[in-house]
Amino acid sequence: MNAENDKKDVAEMVASDSAAEDDRTAESKLGSRAPGFIRKSGLLRLGWQVGIFVAGLAVVGAGVAMLVLPGPGWLVIFGGMAIWATEFVWAQTVLRWTRRKVTAAAQRALDPKVRRRNIILATAGLVITAALIGIYVWKFGIIVPWKIKW
C-alpha cells in the first residue's frame, strides 16, 4: 500500500514538472513571431522575412559603424539581433547564448574577490597613468606631442 502511494506521488510530481516545463517552453518557443495571417500566406511571409532582415541589417550595420564612431555600438548590434530574433531561429539562439554569457559575466563581476581585484587593478592603472602624465608634463610642460622640439 505504501509503495502505491509513493508511485502516485512520483507520478504527480512528474506531471506537475512536465506542466511547468510546457509553460516554460511555450514562452520561450523558437520561431516566427509574425501575426497569423502573415504566417499563412507564403508571399506575405517571404515579404515579412525580407523586411525583418533588411531592418535588422540596417540596425546591425549602424552598430558596426558605431564601433569605430561615437555611439553605443554593441548595444545597437544586439538591438539589430533582437529585430532578427523576431523572425529567425538562428538569431534567437544567438541572443539566448549571449544572454547566458552576459548573465554569467555579471555574476562573476559581482563576486567580492573579483570586484576587489578589479578595483585594485583599476587603481594601479590610474596611478601609473597619472605618473606617466606627470613625468611628461615635468619634462616637456603642457605642449602637444607633435610640437615637441627634440
Side-chain angles (χ1 to χ4, degrees):
M1 192 81 162
N2 196 10
E4 283 182 32
N5 288 338
D6 289 342
K7 286 181 184 178
K8 286 181 183 177
D9 291 341
V10 170
E12 289 174 9
M13 286 175 31
V14 168
S16 67
D17 286 345
S18 65
E21 186 176 319
D22 289 341
D23 291 342
R24 282 192 299 263
T25 56
E27 71 178 312
S28 63
K29 213 173 185 183
L30 294 176
S32 175
R33 292 189 180 96
F37 72 93
I38 290 177
R39 281 184 271 161
K40 289 178 185 174
S41 171
L43 189 60
L44 279 177
R45 183 175 178 137
L46 180 64
W48 179 267
Q49 286 181 337
V50 168
I52 292 293
F53 184 78
V54 169
L57 186 64
V59 173
V60 168
V64 169
M66 286 183 199
L67 290 175
V68 294
L69 299 171
W74 286 109
L75 186 64
V76 174
I77 289 172
F78 290 129
M81 290 295 294
I83 292 171
W84 279 337
T86 63
E87 189 59 32
F88 302 109
V89 173
W90 60 267
Q92 293 169 0
T93 306
V94 168
L95 279 180
R96 285 182 181 182
W97 178 83
T98 304
R99 187 177 296 128
R100 282 194 310 269
K101 293 297 181 182
V102 166
T103 302
Q107 291 299 321
R108 281 194 311 270
L110 293 176
D111 181 27
K113 289 181 182 179
V114 175
R115 284 185 73 192
R116 191 175 315 120
R117 182 199 65 200
N118 290 345
I119 290 171
I120 290 170
L121 287 174
T123 304
L126 287 172
V127 167
I128 290 170
T129 302
L132 290 174
I133 290 172
I135 291 170
Y136 176 84
V137 169
W138 173 70
K139 182 158 177 81
F140 299 108
I142 302 180
I143 300 174
V144 288
W146 51 88
K147 290 190 178 179
I148 295 176
K149 296 193 168 92
W150 297 91

